[in-house]
Amino acid sequence: MKMGEKEFKTLYTNLVRSRAFDDLFIKMLSEGKLLGFYHPSAGGEAPGVGSCSFLRKDDIIWPHLRGHGIPHMLSKGIDVKPYLAEHCGKSSGMCRGMSTFHACDPENGLYGMSGSVGSCFPMTLGYGLGARKNGHGQVVLCCFGDGTSSRGTFHESVIMAANWKLPIVYVCENNKLGMFVSIKDAHPVDDIADLALGYGIPGLVVDGQDVVAIAEAVDEAVVRARNGQGPSLIECKCERFFSHAVGIPDFVGEKLRSQEEIDHLKQKDPILLFEKKLLASGIITDQDVLDIRQSAGAEASEAEQFAAEGVNADPVCLETSLYAE
């Protein structure tokens, strides 16, 4: 796919929308309106946006837990209002208030996700097998973090996907921190993408703050997968501006990250970096920036209102909603 002004505007818009919802989830959690927890995506939105903005409607995604998959879902065309309601325990939620970390929109290629780290691999392996068997040319996108790549399910699934040439694109969102553990202490090599060599599939490292570079790399891998050439592994080296989850200390090992370090990371904000390029090239104007930001804010406010108007889920429905009849 050759990207032009239209595609660049789409990527920028989806970045801004993702940040608006990230801010909203943080605000609502601080107000006690969300059940459970929230893992902010600020600084690391580009992998989800770049990977999912140009997929087919019937392509299947497994979003990454950071941002609870919102950059991926928004970019895929999924309505996240019910997802927010789900986080608030409302009956208007995607799964009728049963979980604060679940999503499902089969019409747009989202069959669920989980907070269980590593579960993404066997699930997307099954999706990939199904996609190959149905012959519709679907591709499966499996998004995960650097820490998740250490799970045994990763290696078991990738070797099967490689042997069977399944149409799966593995996107590792490497923000260099597995909760509190530095990537330097968790991996003996610099690049997780090097793991691809052992499975005989392409492995590529891209700048995780560059949404265009990500979109181009994923598009190439998607084309390859759709043509029956099997899976690819793309590692996006991105940043994390906040602690692992809202309200917990921002440790790296036994030390807290300093404000000076965070301020330095924020100079690589994917939204501002891309915005600067688009303004300099004349693809967007200052008025476009204002309009896009206002539209994203209005969309987030509409979702907040939708969640606020929902009715609290009845715990009794656990008996009928958790298991099939």
Side-chain angles (χ1 to χ4, degrees):
M1 177 185 67
K2 183 177 181 180
M3 287 194 290
E5 292 187 8
K6 178 182 177 181
E7 289 75 22
F8 293 151
K9 288 180 180 178
T10 295
L11 290 171
Y12 175 71
T13 299
N14 286 340
L15 283 173
V16 174
R17 293 170 69 214
S18 298
R19 183 66 60 83
F21 272 90
D22 200 54
D23 291 342
L24 173 63
F25 271 62
I26 293 172
K27 178 182 82 74
M28 292 184 68
L29 181 62
S30 68
E31 295 170 347
K33 296 177 180 177
L34 294 192
L35 303 179
F37 42 78
Y38 182 66
H39 305 81
S41 62
E45 298 97 339
V49 171
S51 297
C52 298
S53 288
F54 306 116
L55 294 174
R56 281 182 2 190
K57 184 181 177 69
D58 65 340
D59 286 334
I60 301 170
I61 64 170
W62 185 286
H64 180 31
L65 70 85
R66 189 135 306 280
H68 291 198
I70 292 171
H72 313 74
M73 295 183 206
L74 284 174
S75 301
K76 186 66 163 58
I78 294 168
D79 182 6
V80 300
K81 293 196 298 294
Y83 190 47
L84 176 58
E86 181 72 23
H87 277 69
C88 296
K90 300 301 180 70
S91 59
S92 53
M94 280 182 164
C95 292
R96 292 181 287 177
M98 291 303 99
S99 168
T100 60
F101 198 72
H102 192 87
C104 188
D105 185 357
E107 290 186 4
N108 285 290
L110 179 64
Y111 291 94
M113 59 186 295
S114 171
S116 177
V117 175
S119 60
C120 55
F121 302 120
M123 293 300 295
T124 51
L125 180 72
Y127 297 156
L129 182 59
R132 192 188 72 174
K133 290 176 69 68
N134 69 30
H136 297 162
Q138 290 170 288
V139 168
V140 179
L141 194 76
C142 177
C143 300
F144 58 98
D146 48 287
T148 309
S149 67
S150 299
R151 297 300 298 266
T153 48
F154 170 78
H155 305 280
E156 294 165 355
S157 300
V158 175
I159 194 168
M160 294 175 74
N163 280 334
W164 295 341
K165 294 191 180 301
L166 300 185
I168 304 175
V169 178
Y170 294 98
V171 179
C172 177
E173 304 181 19
N174 181 4
N175 60 27
K176 311 172 193 71
L177 286 170
M179 194 168 183
F180 303 130
V181 181
S182 169
I183 187 68
K184 295 179 180 178
D185 297 325
H187 281 268
V189 296
D190 292 332
D191 299 325
I192 291 172
D194 287 348
L195 295 173
L197 181 63
Y199 304 112
I201 65 175
L204 178 67
V205 176
V206 296
D207 181 356
Q209 304 306 105
D210 186 340
V211 69
V212 173
I214 296 165
E216 290 176 339
V218 170
D219 179 65
E220 183 176 341
V222 164
V223 170
R224 183 177 184 276
R226 226 184 283 285
N227 289 337
Q229 296 175 277
S232 303
L233 171 60
I234 299 171
E235 178 185 359
C236 306
K237 292 186 183 290
C238 54
E239 304 297 346
R240 194 185 86 189
F241 292 169
F242 292 100
S243 59
H244 174 70
V246 176
I248 67 174
D250 194 5
F251 280 110
V252 178
E254 76 282 4
K255 296 181 179 179
L256 286 169
R257 290 199 293 179
S258 68
Q259 188 58 50
E260 181 181 5
E261 181 179 358
I262 300 301
D263 290 342
H264 175 71
L265 293 180
K266 288 184 176 181
Q267 294 178 20
K268 296 187 285 184
D269 188 319
I271 300 177
L272 299 182
L273 289 174
F274 195 36
E275 181 180 293
K276 183 178 180 180
K277 289 182 180 179
L278 295 180
L279 287 170
S281 63
I283 293 176
I284 62 173
T285 65
D286 289 332
Q287 185 60 49
D288 290 329
V289 170
L290 180 61
D291 291 343
I292 290 170
R293 290 180 180 274
Q294 287 181 338
S295 178
E299 182 183 13
S301 296
E302 182 182 346
E304 183 177 14
Q305 185 66 25
F306 177 84
E309 293 173 352
V311 177
N312 289 336
D314 185 350
V316 173
C317 68
L318 274 170
E319 297 178 2
T320 57
S321 299
L322 190 59
Y323 300 103
E325 292 291 342

